[in-house]
Amino acid sequence: MVEGHAINTYVFCPRRCYYEYVEKVFYHNVYTIHGKLLHEHVDQSGREKRGERHLYRSLYLSSERLGLTLRCDLVEEDQGNLYPVEYKRSRQADWENNQLQLCAQGLVLEEYLRRPVPFGYLFFYGSFQRKRVEFSETLRKRTTEVIEEIRQLYEREAPPAGIDDWNKCKKCSMVDYCLPLERRKLKGKVLWERFI
């Protein structure tokens, strides 16, 4: 079974996803710890009512059809609509990896509820704002494609290519394990030296 957060990780960097979910290696840094601290409240299972909205925190779901298990940070019920809310550490951003992770939650929630879940929300701690994400057919299709791509990672004997973009890599908690700068310096040299 593919884990829901792997979708976000894979779209950010396939190599990081391989290390984290296939090799089971993970390191924390200031950004991951900050995110963990911000998630403390929403990670506590429970339910509450705010005005007319019912909130269900830390809801674990799985889908046999998709071969996916995940945890919804929050599922809200408002005026008969149920939708997932995914919490993010950053300011508001329009990143595909966040949208796909949220869409996967919507797909699994649909299967569980046996009714459409047409949208969800990304909540950004950095700006305390929400962004509504419509689960279009294009987004749904891309989400299921990524789930299948992640499943194929488990058949690999070596990690796939990563993003190798130092502006992104330097903030990654796996930078000292992945060594993207060193990898770039050695690219082509290791194979050449084998024949000398």
Side-chain angles (χ1 to χ4, degrees), residues 132-167:
R132 182 174 164 136
V133 177
E134 301 292 333
F135 300 148
S136 67
E137 285 308 312
T138 303
L139 189 62
R140 290 165 181 266
K141 183 175 187 276
R142 177 72 177 127
T143 302
T144 56
E145 288 170 353
V146 167
I147 292 167
E148 184 53 38
E149 289 171 20
I150 294 168
R151 192 170 286 109
Q152 291 172 14
L153 283 184
Y154 289 92
E155 298 171 13
R156 295 182 62 105
E157 292 183 15
I163 54 173
D164 293 334
D165 174 349
W166 183 244
N167 288 325

Side-chain angles (χ1 to χ4, degrees), residues 7-177:
I7 295 167
N8 192 302
T9 305
Y10 178 84
V11 176
F12 176 74
C13 178
R15 188 185 303 136
R16 179 189 171 119
C17 187
Y18 183 88
Y19 291 149
E20 195 172 331
Y21 293 95
V22 178
E23 290 188 355
K24 304 289 187 198
V25 175
F26 182 79
Y27 295 104
H28 281 289
N29 67 7
V30 66
Y31 304 109
T32 62
I33 291 171
H34 186 224
K36 189 176 170 110
L37 290 172
L38 289 172
H39 265 78
E40 280 184 345
H41 177 70
V42 80
D43 283 348
Q44 295 175 7
S45 294
R47 53 186 285 191
E48 61 185 272
K49 189 174 178 186
R50 288 188 191 162
E52 296 300 311
R53 293 179 300 150
H54 294 271
L55 312 177
Y56 307 91
R57 288 189 313 274
S58 197
L59 194 61
Y60 286 88
L61 300 170
S62 64
S63 166
E64 288 296 323
R65 182 180 65 82
L66 295 171
L68 183 66
T69 62
L70 52 76
R71 181 183 59 79
C72 297
D73 286 341
L74 189 70
V75 173
E76 287 188 355
E77 184 177 9
D78 187 20
Q79 298 177 355
N81 293 313
L82 277 150
Y83 48 85
V85 180
E86 175 64 22
Y87 282 63
K88 294 297 171 192
R89 186 187 71 79
S90 65
R91 295 185 179 277
Q92 192 161 343
D94 197 25
W95 294 331
E96 181 190 33
N97 52 336
N98 291 339
Q99 293 176 8
L100 295 173
Q101 181 184 8
L102 181 66
C103 184
Q105 294 172 18
L107 293 174
V108 175
L109 201 54
E110 272 183 349
E111 189 175 326
Y112 180 77
L113 297 170
R114 296 190 176 136
R115 70 182 202 192
V117 176
F119 64 89
Y121 287 94
L122 293 168
F123 173 80
F124 297 93
Y125 282 111
S127 60
F128 257 69
Q129 293 182 341
R130 281 185 170 200
K131 176 180 168 56
R132 182 174 164 136
V133 177
E134 301 292 333
F135 300 148
S136 67
E137 285 308 312
T138 303
L139 189 62
R140 290 165 181 266
K141 183 175 187 276
R142 177 72 177 127
T143 302
T144 56
E145 288 170 353
V146 167
I147 292 167
E148 184 53 38
E149 289 171 20
I150 294 168
R151 192 170 286 109
Q152 291 172 14
L153 283 184
Y154 289 92
E155 298 171 13
R156 295 182 62 105
E157 292 183 15
I163 54 173
D164 293 334
D165 174 349
W166 183 244
N167 288 325
K168 293 180 180 177
C169 292
K170 66 185 177 185
K171 294 182 179 179
C172 177
S173 67
M174 299 294 286
V175 68
D176 291 332
Y177 185 79

